[in-house]
Amino acid sequence: MSGIDRRNFIKIAGLTTIIGLSGKPLADAFASQPAQASAAEKEGHVGKRWALVIDPKKCLEKEGCRACIDACHRIHNVPQFDNRKDEIKWIWKEEYEKAFLDQENEFIEDSLKEKPVLVLCNHCDNPPCVRVCPTQATWKRQDGIVMMDWHRCIGCRYCVAACPYGSRSFNWRDPRPFIKEIDKDFPTRTRGVVEKCTFCNERLAKGLPLACVEACPEKAMAFGDLEDPESEVRQLLRNRFAIRRKPYLGTQPVVFYLV
Amino acid sequence: MLEKALVGDKKYWTWVLFLMAIIATGFLFYLRQLGYGLGITGLSRDVTWGFYIAQFTFLVGVAASAVMVVLPYYLHNYKMFGKMTILGEFLAISAVTMCILFITVDLGQPMRAFNLILHPSPSSVLFWDTIVLSGYLLLNVIISRVTLESERKGIKPPSWIKPIIILSIPWAISIHTVTAFIYSGLGGRPFWFTAILTPRFLASAFASGPAFLLLVVFIVRKFTRFDPGREPIQKLAQIITYAMLLNLFFILLEVFTAFYSRIPDHMTSFQYLFSGLDGHSKLVPWMWTSVTLGVLAAVLLVNPKTRQNEKWLIFACAAVFVSIWIDKGIGMVVAGFVPTPLGAITEYWPTFPETMITLGVYALGFLMITIFYKIALSVRGEIST
Amino acid sequence: MYDAGKIITGLILFLVLFTTPIWVNLASGTSAERPDIKLPVDEKQCVAATEYMKASHMDLIYEWRDQVVREELRAYHSLSGKEYEMSLTKTCLGCHSNKAEFCDRCHNYVAVSPYCWDCHTEPKEGI
């Protein structure tokens, strides 16, 4: 028999299918690498590199204040678990020495020692979580916000392992029963996806300030554009010394702490 | 050829049914996990990877180790391994399948697993791991099928299979290299962030995989007419010896760097594993068991008298396997999360459903090994069909 | 044919098992009538043609979803020239305010369970 017999035909057809199936997404992946164009300029804030500057001293004025945490967690439907295992948090208070493990200093200023510091996603310039995500469910927008697509996350938790700041939480179980009052303007999450602070991108789009910044009674937080030399954040950073968490990792956080 | 797996004696069927019962139980628990979420496991916000991912990591090593019989046979023409290569390849297929299943049961949204292919991300090591693992599975399926088919017909394997077999050798190295990269590329996890992790993974794989293969060979030899002969067993034992010594040496290198430099980040995870941190010491007895068995196995393997004594050899192989299983299948993954980047110490231990799901996946792998070996040995007439 | 009896019995058994859902439905008298869905009263025009929406509303919703979440685009210009906010809960459910009698009825009929509602909430309904 000449030409291709049935057996060989099936073999060739199978191989072609495999190559075809794997070739297309590969090509797409390389083609779609540049970040998605930002359309934030259309309305609301015009920003290129969002940043948050926190003044821990002001923050500590009122002991036990949780205004920013409550505001953020309420409007973003962050569930409240009473155990550490299932815990989900976007912004929270961490002991100074835990937040700045690398700044260990026995003789540090007493006003800071053992006092809580606000921590949240650092929206790194060079985010390890984005690098490791196998589905581009987390990515860096052009204005620097490290976003999450809760529709796409497969829950592999590689980003949680990669984040050097412990900023990411995973939904170990259905969060809905643990949300006191659901804010209907914002989705809840489903079990099995990772979540974190997204710099209130939904509010920025409407020209509103960050919920935490707005809620702070001491005005201890300033939010603005690093690219704009006249912005409040730039002025604060010009006039005072600021530190960031784990700078040696080269992640370049945009959450600054004034000293 | 599959029909050969459908006939067997009572012992064979009892074993098959036993495995199927465990698979079914595991599956029922998996349904519960699907309903409740991964909170059914012992994992937490602080320790987000545990038993599942650790088994995956360990089994990638077992899969890669097939190369230790394939390489001498095909590259160095070491004919003595002829009878064992097919067993190595079948072991690889079963191990890779278990790896894929362990990744799947670890996903929070398994229904969306296809997103890996729909939205491929070459910057993620997991993307490359998907490619090398599925490629390795495909290579071994083709190789084992073609060579066994030829053997059944009593003809020489077609010449085109040789380059594919040669390709499978570096590919085996790649699967464990890429798997190690998942961990060693994370700057925020000092315990994993070390270049020696990859060689350590490979060394432990080339010890534990062949050790497991030898144990299986001993079992199969007991129940069938299959006998690879004394020399290849001893040769494989030597390979295990060198790999195990390298593995122990690499661990010592890690300990030196961490404790001589006295950099806290690099010491704390080791302290947690071997002496406990702040009163948390769940893994300490396990890790010392691992070290004791590892050293004991190394001594028994290095000493030619004990290595050449089959009873001691069986014990040494079992010790190698258990030692490395504890090291990689429990300690390595968990210690990366203890302490957390915020210095918290949260302990992890698998829950009952988690253990059952794990056992279910292992049972499926063992069922595959059983069926594959049954077919291979029936084809060769080393077993009554 | 060897074992003809066994093979034929096996085939029949398989056919019976395979078609069980049909028999069960017939026996229970479940009707196959089209679902009666409630359309909005005060709004006559949707963001796209009815025929398109009937067949492909999920594609449109997926497109909206990706544009809002991933591309920071929030405005949708329909063929009729109107501008809408790309939002499931605000725009879609703004008109189709009765999820139970619109979305659910049809989805139940065709036995699909979209996971939208795992996260998004119906504006009126409390959870």
Side-chain angles (χ1 to χ4, degrees):
Chain A
M1 207 177 109
S2 66
I4 302 174
D5 63 13
R6 190 185 62 92
R7 210 182 155 83
N8 276 327
F9 173 76
I10 293 171
K11 279 181 193 164
I12 293 165
L15 268 179
T16 322
T17 317
I18 290 162
I19 292 164
L21 277 178
S22 56
K24 166 85 167 67
L26 254 180
D28 285 355
F30 286 107
S32 66
Q33 272 308 291
Q36 310 275 16
S38 164
E41 280 121 54
K42 267 177 48 189
E43 51 175 313
H45 285 294
V46 180
K48 294 226 174 60
R49 192 66 189 94
W50 295 119
L52 187 66
V53 178
I54 300 174
D55 188 338
K57 274 208 170 138
K58 274 191 190 170
C59 174
L60 290 167
E61 287 287 322
K62 242 195 234 157
E63 215 171 308
C65 172
R66 304 179 32 100
C68 57
I69 303 170
D70 291 338
C72 167
H73 286 188
R74 191 181 61 246
I75 69 156
H76 293 123
N77 292 325
V78 176
Q80 188 77 48
F81 290 100
D82 50 10
N83 64 72
R84 201 182 150 80
K85 176 174 145 64
D86 293 324
E87 202 176 27
I88 289 174
K89 42 195 183 184
W90 286 24
I91 176 169
W92 72 100
K93 285 181 172 177
E94 195 68 55
E95 277 171 51
Y96 171 84
E97 282 146 327
K98 302 270 180 183
F100 292 93
L101 271 179
D102 51 312
Q103 302 275 334
E104 203 188 18
N105 180 352
E106 216 181 309
F107 309 105
I108 202 152
E109 213 185 327
D110 280 347
S111 66
L112 286 175
K113 208 176 180 181
E114 284 167 23
K115 288 281 165 60
V117 179
L118 276 178
V119 291
L120 65 157
C121 170
N122 274 308
H123 295 277
C124 306
D125 242 350
N126 187 10
C129 54
V130 168
R131 193 159 53 233
V132 301
C133 178
T135 60
Q136 292 159 36
T138 191
W139 73 98
K140 201 182 92 178
R141 301 201 323 189
Q142 250 176 13
D143 56 3
I145 295 181
V146 175
M147 262 297 277
M148 274 293 308
D149 186 345
W150 294 305
H151 306 99
R152 193 181 280 187
C153 175
I154 57 172
C156 70
R157 312 190 292 297
Y158 198 3
C159 58
V160 184
C163 176
Y165 307 103
S167 295
R168 288 174 165 268
S169 307
F170 179 73
N171 285 279
W172 296 104
R173 53 188 299 193
D174 183 12
R176 275 204 181 170
F178 301 91
I179 304 169
K180 268 185 217 119
E181 202 179 331
I182 291 179
D183 188 321
K184 285 169 181 154
D185 287 335
F186 202 79
T188 67
R189 264 71 63 196
T190 181
R191 58 167 183 266
V193 298
V194 171
E195 65 180 84
K196 66 167 197 76
C197 154
T198 60
F199 258 180
C200 285
N201 72 92
E202 81 287 356
R203 289 169 63 90
L204 291 178
K206 288 188 201 149
L208 296 168
L210 299 197
C212 51
V213 175
E214 190 183 59
C216 178
E218 307 297 333
K219 303 269 170 290
M221 283 185 268
F223 182 77
D225 182 10
L226 281 180
E227 305 270 301
D228 173 10
E230 298 312 312
S231 66
E232 193 188 352
V233 285
R234 281 289 294 274
Q235 281 174 11
L236 281 168
L237 293 176
R238 228 188 334 262
N239 298 328
R240 294 182 57 189
F241 183 65
I243 55 171
R244 295 187 284 179
R245 294 170 67 198
K246 302 192 179 176
Y248 56 92
L249 291 175
T251 51
Q252 304 285 3
V254 292
V255 175
F256 297 83
Y257 297 86
L258 297 173
V259 183
Chain B
M1 281 192 280
L2 207 63
E3 76 280 356
K4 303 224 188 297
L6 294 175
V7 276
D9 57 12
K10 209 171 152 195
K11 262 188 231 149
Y12 172 73
W13 281 109
T14 317
W15 173 240
V16 167
L17 286 175
F18 168 71
L19 290 175
M20 281 179 163
I22 298 179
I23 297 169
T25 318
F27 186 71
L28 287 178
F29 278 100
Y30 181 61
L31 288 180
R32 263 183 62 190
Q33 181 183 299
L34 273 183
Y36 181 90
L38 277 164
I40 206 167
T41 65
L43 296 165
S44 60
R45 191 182 189 278
D46 289 341
V47 184
T48 44
W49 279 345
F51 225 38
Y52 297 149
I53 291 295
Q55 303 317 306
F56 151 76
T57 309
F58 175 73
L59 287 167
V60 171
V62 174
S65 69
V67 78
M68 287 291 113
V69 280
V70 172
L71 189 145
Y73 181 62
Y74 286 101
L75 231 48
H76 300 290
N77 214 12
Y78 185 71
K79 289 291 174 223
M80 287 288 191
F81 274 171
K83 278 189 157 182
M84 285 207 288
T85 48
I86 191 90
L87 301 188
E89 285 153 4
F90 278 145
L91 179 62
I93 295 175
S94 314
V96 174
T97 310
M98 285 190 267
C99 290
I100 294 170
L101 282 172
F102 273 119
I103 290 276
T104 312
V105 298
D106 189 69
L107 291 181
Q109 284 284 341
M111 273 74 88
R112 297 183 192 166
F114 213 56
N115 280 357
L116 278 169
I117 298 152
L118 289 174
H119 309 288
S121 318
S123 67
S124 172
V125 182
L126 262 187
F127 166 81
W128 295 104
D129 215 30
T130 318
I131 291 186
V132 290
L133 276 178
S134 43
Y136 191 62
L137 183 62
L138 189 71
L139 282 177
N140 275 290
V141 167
I142 295 174
I143 294 167
S144 55
R145 207 199 116 85
V146 169
T147 49
L148 194 62
E149 179 81 30
S150 311
E151 204 170 320
R152 188 172 70 109
K153 290 183 186 149
I155 53 171
K156 260 183 74 171
S159 55
W160 57 265
I161 197 74
K162 189 81 190 271
I164 295 183
I165 293 170
I166 303 296
L167 175 68
S168 82
I169 294 170
W171 205 290
I173 312 280
S174 86
I175 63 168
H176 219 23
T177 303
V178 176
T179 304
F181 283 0
I182 293 180
Y183 302 98
S184 68
L186 304 180
R189 303 278 174 188
F191 183 65
W192 298 335
F193 186 57
T194 157
I196 200 83
L197 195 73
T198 311
R200 209 181 125 190
F201 268 30
L202 286 166
S204 60
F206 295 152
S208 61
F212 182 67
L213 187 64
L214 266 196
L215 289 175
V216 176
V217 162
F218 288 133
I219 294 170
V220 172
R221 198 182 60 182
K222 194 164 178 237
F223 288 104
T224 67
R225 287 197 297 276
F226 168 79
D227 188 3
R230 189 181 156 73
E231 201 192 314
I233 290 179
Q234 281 302 317
K235 200 61 166 182
L236 204 55
Q238 278 174 15
I239 292 175
I240 299 169
T241 310
Y242 284 113
M244 190 60 190
L245 289 176
L246 271 178
N247 179 41
L248 293 174
F249 178 59
F250 289 161
I251 295 175
L252 285 175
L253 295 185
E254 286 272 44
V255 172
F256 169 78
T257 308
F259 288 89
Y260 191 78
S261 69
R262 304 209 66 75
I263 296 176
D265 272 0
H266 293 267
M267 292 192 295
T268 43
S269 295
F270 279 105
Q271 284 165 341
Y272 169 67
L273 285 178
F274 291 102
S275 60
L277 265 186
D278 290 350
H280 299 280
S281 54
K282 220 170 231 173
L283 295 187
V284 172
W286 288 88
M287 293 314 291
W288 282 109
T289 310
S290 169
V291 170
T292 313
L293 285 175
V295 172
L296 187 65
V299 171
L300 290 174
L301 286 167
V302 169
N303 184 350
K305 272 194 194 131
T306 39
R307 185 179 65 235
Q308 282 156 13
N309 177 325
E310 221 158 64
K311 280 209 177 94
W312 280 115
L313 180 60
I314 292 174
F315 177 80
C317 283
V320 164
F321 187 79
V322 174
S323 165
I324 291 173
W325 180 80
I326 295 172
D327 183 32
K328 260 167 132 180
I330 302 178
M332 202 282 305
V333 170
V334 176
F337 293 95
V338 187
T340 69
L342 290 162
I345 299 157
T346 306
E347 288 206 283
Y348 158 84
W349 195 248
T351 57
F352 181 68
E354 193 178 3
T355 314
M356 292 313 290
I357 294 170
T358 306
L359 283 178
V361 176
Y362 268 111
L364 190 90
F366 278 97
L367 182 65
M368 287 177 73
I369 297 174
T370 308
I371 290 175
F372 288 151
Y373 281 18
K374 175 83 167 46
I375 294 172
L377 298 179
S378 306
V379 164
R380 289 190 185 147
E382 277 162 342
I383 196 172
S384 50
T385 45
Chain C
M1 186 156 66
Y2 300 108
D3 291 332
K6 276 185 199 164
I7 291 170
I8 291 165
T9 324
L11 280 175
I12 292 172
L13 207 66
F14 169 76
L15 274 177
V16 169
L17 281 175
F18 194 72
T19 51
T20 331
I22 300 175
W23 308 126
V24 169
N25 269 352
L26 277 181
S28 67
T30 317
S31 76
E33 264 173 54
R34 279 163 163 273
D36 171 34
I37 53 167
K38 286 237 168 85
L39 291 169
V41 245
D42 10 291
E43 184 64 58
K44 287 283 159 247
Q45 202 183 8
C46 195
V47 297
T50 314
E51 281 315 305
Y52 172 79
M53 291 308 282
K54 264 187 192 165
S56 313
H57 61 281
M58 51 292 208
D59 297 331
L60 184 86
I61 292 173
Y62 280 164
E63 206 172 291
W64 282 17
R65 174 190 82 183
D66 285 348
Q67 294 205 339
V68 172
V69 178
R70 308 188 70 90
E71 284 164 52
E72 299 155 61
L73 298 168
R74 281 164 208 265
Y76 176 75
H77 299 275
S78 77
L79 277 177
S80 64
K82 249 182 109 178
E83 189 181 307
Y84 296 92
E85 185 188 353
M86 291 195 273
S87 165
L88 169 73
T89 46
K90 286 178 203 142
T91 307
C92 302
L93 292 181
C95 294
H96 298 282
S97 52
N98 205 334
K99 173 176 166 276
E101 286 169 324
F102 183 75
C103 314
D104 295 352
R105 239 173 225 183
C106 206
H107 288 153
N108 289 343
Y109 174 70
V110 293
V112 292
S113 37
Y115 56 82
C116 312
W117 315 109
D118 289 0
C119 300
H120 294 278
T121 35
E122 198 186 343
K124 271 199 258 161
E125 174 202 62
I127 295 287

